[in-house]
Amino acid sequence: MPSYAYRCKTCGHSFDIYQSFSDSALTTCPQCEGPLRKVFSTPGVTFKGSGFYRTDSASSSTSSSGTSS
């Protein structure tokens, strides 16, 4: 189940909650009953190394040229 972050527009209270994809978004703050807003952040993906594209695709410099002598 994914975790979603919410922040209240009125009092600034922020919290995380686990919700199913089929659950509807929360709309009221549990502290002051003000309106809530979902907080979006960057995903936790980090690519390290020289690059995945160099090892995952065929190299064009070593392909056979098809020339004959």
Side-chain angles (χ1 to χ4, degrees):
M1 238 187 306
S3 173
Y4 294 100
Y6 288 93
R7 177 174 289 139
C8 179
K9 292 182 179 181
T10 305
C11 70
H13 174 67
S14 59
F15 60 95
D16 294 341
I17 188 167
Y18 290 103
Q19 289 182 296
S20 175
F21 289 113
S22 60
D23 291 346
S24 58
L26 299 178
T27 57
T28 58
C29 177
Q31 286 190 343
C32 73
E33 297 184 6
L36 283 179
R37 183 174 186 106
K38 268 191 182 177
V39 179
F40 295 99
S41 61
T42 57
V45 177
T46 304
F47 296 104
K48 293 185 178 182
S50 60
F52 62 92
Y53 58 91
R54 292 185 184 180
T55 58
D56 287 348
S57 61
S59 174
S60 61
S61 63
T62 59
S63 64
S64 61
S65 60
T67 59
S68 59
S69 17

